[in-house]
Amino acid sequence: MSLLSIRNMDVSIGQYAVLHGLTLDVPEGGVFVLLGRNGAGKTTTLRSIMGLWDRPAGSVTFRGEDISSLHTSDIARKGIAFVPENMGIFGGLTVAENMVLATANGKFDPARLKRVYALFPALEQFWNKQAWSLSGGQKQMLAVARAIIEPRDLILIDEPTKGLAPTIIHGMGEAFKDISQSTTILLVEQNFAFAKSLGRDMAVIDDGQVVHTGSMADFAADTALQDRLLSLSMEEGA
Amino acid sequence: MTHPSLSTRDLTIRFGGHTAVNAVTCDFHPGELTVIVGPNGAGKTTYFNMISGQLMPSEGTVEKDGLDLTRMPASTRARHGVGRAFQLTNLFPHLSVLENIRLAVQAQSGDGRRFFTPVTRLTELAAKAERYLEATRLSDRADMPAAALPHGDQRKLEVALLMAMEPDIYMFDEPTAGMSLDHAPDVLDLIAEIKHDHTKTVLLVEHKMDVVRALADRIIVLHNGELIADGDPGEVMSSQIVKDVYLGNAGELT
Amino acid sequence: MKTLGPMIEKAGGVFLLPVAIAILAFVLIGAPSSWLTLTVAGLSMGLMLFLMASGLSLVFGLMDVLNFGHSAFVSFGAFVAATVLAWLGGWVGADSIFLNALALIAAISAAIVFGAAAGWFFERVIVKPVYKDHLRQILITMGALIVAEQLILATWGGTPTNVPRPQFLEGAIILGGSSLEVYRLFAFIVGVVVYAGIYFLLNKTRIGLLIRAGVENREMVEALGFRIDRLFIGVFMLGSALAAVGGAMWAGYETLITPALGAEMMVIVFIVVIIGGLGSIQGTLLGAIVVALMQNYVGFLAPKLALASNMLLMMAILLWRPSGLAPAVK
Amino acid sequence: MNRTMNRTLSVKIIALTVWGLLLFSPFLFQDVRQVEVAARIAVFIVLVASYDLLIGYTGIVSFAHTMFFGFGAYGVAIALKQIGPGWGAWTLGTLSGVAVSIVVAILIGLLSLRVKAIFFAMITLAAASVALVLASQLSQFTGGEDGMIYSAPDLLKPSTKLLTDAEGDVLRIFDVRMNGKIAAYYFVFITCALMFWAMLRIVGSPLGTVLKAIRENEGRAEGIGYRVVAYRTAVFVIAATTAALAGAVYATWLRYTGPDTTLSFAIMIDILLMVVIGGMGTMWGAVIGATLMVLAQYYLRDLMEVASRATEAIPLLPELLSPDRWLLWLGIIFILLVYFFPAGIAGTIIRGRTK
């Protein structure tokens, strides 16, 4: 049974149907990558899982339970963490305060905190700094750290590499590999190389629907398919 | 080549500690369609915002035909001929299609300041608006509120607004974003028409490579806020660095 | 605390404004004893204004809701406290500080309870249906204000109500030729204690963290597993209870109150939050003190221009900083 | 589309019927009080329509409309009181009222129209109460709380014989005396009708569309070349000027000006209610809203009085029904209207039931 399954999800913003009949299964374990063009509906998919749209049609099942009518906070308490595209950092709060808010009862599990420090040493260094003063990469680390400070079954991460320097992206990838040992990650990514290096399974969304799903290894090997679905390959223009 | 119609010098903007666009210097020429590409978060829309006036740069200048626009508000730039269409549909939702277009026409002609003449008596205004309605094939929907249009037609209306402003500089930010493939050609045809006028400067942010191939005279590539490539389409698209950036391999290179 | 350093530095200039006003007033007034009396009166009024305005500011910061009916809570607080004090007339006038204090505590508690209950009703019935629609929000809360004022008028009548003051708060202390009313000193202390309490709540407690986080990004607070709507009711009730306490304190200060009190205070409260910057507690305190000092100094120098001077001050500050002196960081 | 046109037409017909009744009201309703009601309706139509320019067309919430109304009224009142009745004094008073309105409107507009709508509402509220306080405090000019009584220019005085019959008495046409009172009524009617017509022209002009565009999508309006702050300030000035003129006309009609007839917050609430009842952003709705509210003010209160007396035996009810509780009911109706009929009467007719 898959960890998360979405059935026939429809979401409209005003007149514009962003998702129509999106159906997706995310198996447990590893990194599942959602690919697709800008505006294809990837972010909307993550937000729908999180219950951040008013009236989506369709169902979201998590560990066999329908969560589509639950309040966002209850979905979070079911064990799903969300790292949005803008990272959702509370800039006026310190790193420590950001982290405390992400715990269930205001107390850190020492082992998990140690793991966070190990994965992202910069956070320990700036523990008492206000979050707005962090660099973009450090903010992204904080956003991910918040998602793993409590045990979760699924982490939704939206374009974590956006606007980051290559070395930081590399470090982020290492951290994701580590995290995905114990927690399933559903990753939205436009940086194909990054996605390729992490993903076990993948799906391509276009026009609010899943147009391809399969293993990352197969997809990475099939440049024709990549070109058709993502128009990423630029070689033909030459 | 002719004098540049639009140029940015060392255009830079910082948000907090983050430099979103870093010292971009670039000239754009009349009759040329430049496509701006780059991965998400590269600073393309931010660069656009500084040219059209939605954002003020931290450093650097924007000039149009030698006129310094850098500190002008968006409305003044629009009156100086810098026209911009937006990535997300950005219309006047409860006004009719015709009213939407008329707003752009009267902004351009200065009729917006007329406060005592009924619209119905300004035949020239109506005729012009009618013309752009026809040009964008929206005539049969003239009386519908913009919000009631299907998404594809809203995008067309977006382009119609821009054309009705009769700018010298046309800026399109992903004009086909969120459009299904069967509707996209309508909008692209409109852009092609503007291009074939050969006197207008067109800037286009676009992800879809088929679109880039069909329209571009020139491509510039932004990555992490910096201009990393500039040239004719074939040359840019085949260059290794661009391929790496676009495919996300840059991380492995450095 | 280390992290506050740069912030204070950055904001220090703004927070010196009351000092500048006080110095300017000292020069204009000339007589140190009058100046001291006025300054103490100003500070005490400032802290009462802070009580009245802080809820408005907090609610706006957290939920982007501007409650034009906020001043109704001030009136309710004033009248409820006055009624309780009248009931407990024996205690109020007794020669025992213990009984005096008991009556006072009863009155303020009644104001708090009533304010919080009225806040709950307001949030659920009046404001909730029009979240995110500013135009209708302004209209509806304005309508609610009218209704609330009429209810006060119907309950307490249009004639001025006398507010008995507990015995131990009567009188004045003479200090170097200036007479400082005990009640004003008391109001000042209450205000400072409440400010410290709110500051502690916002900065040292988990609820406070959530409120501050919610001001910045509601959606993310929910995605971390918290019900922001419940938090919001709590803040709304807290804000209205504070306004009611402010009203209760104000009633004791004026000793004679009319149902027009709410409407009169509304304008001053608006000026306070505009000057201070909406959404921040520090800004609200700053705005309240600036407005109250101006009110007292100008009221002494040119009595008829007191309100107008605050209006002019507000205009000047908006010219300088369009979103107020110290608005919430978003 | 045709159905919408028909519905718009029916709103126009209702509104024009009201104007028609107003035109003939001295002949139709011979009671002094009824003519009083008719004049008040005419003035409030203008006041509400000018407010609709702000709130309905441009999306600006101002609570200072009565302040501008008051500037006009006090301008005329002070001039007629100080200089004496005459058209010269009247013109001077009107012009100074308008001038003060324009200056204050520009000041408030430029200062605060660039900030959030909500700030603007608060600032105008503060400005209006300062004006109210000043009016009652500067009593040597304004008459303070008591206001001022003065004479209108000769033509409009009740004692003036407009037309005389053979014996030199006031001529009666259809039993209506052709005296200064009639002249005063038609002075009110004609000036108000002209102003209403002018506002119809404004909303039908290119400027009218720009205002709606600003209400709909400020950023885009700026993006296609409209200086939003300038346009907002302009419409604020237009509305303020119109309100001031309406105030001048009303002051001339009443021959009394005080805080209660012009500046008070109760009038601001009346205007709000009228614009919401009539329908924001419809202009014609102002006619419907103002008419209904003024009629209710004059006649429903009497009814409440009767009801209150009739229920004397029942506890609480007479208290609630007393005419003093008029505002309580208005407030409740207002809240319900904003909840359930935000489009108002005209808006609901035009748009139909479905939204």
Side-chain angles (χ1 to χ4, degrees), chain C residues 243-255:
Chain C
V245 174
M249 297 301 300
W250 189 256
Y253 176 75
E254 294 267 292
T255 65

Side-chain angles (χ1 to χ4, degrees), chain A residues 16-30:
Chain A
Y16 172 34
V18 190
L19 299 185
H20 21 95
L22 183 120
T23 291
L24 180 71
D25 284 290
V26 180
E28 184 148 17

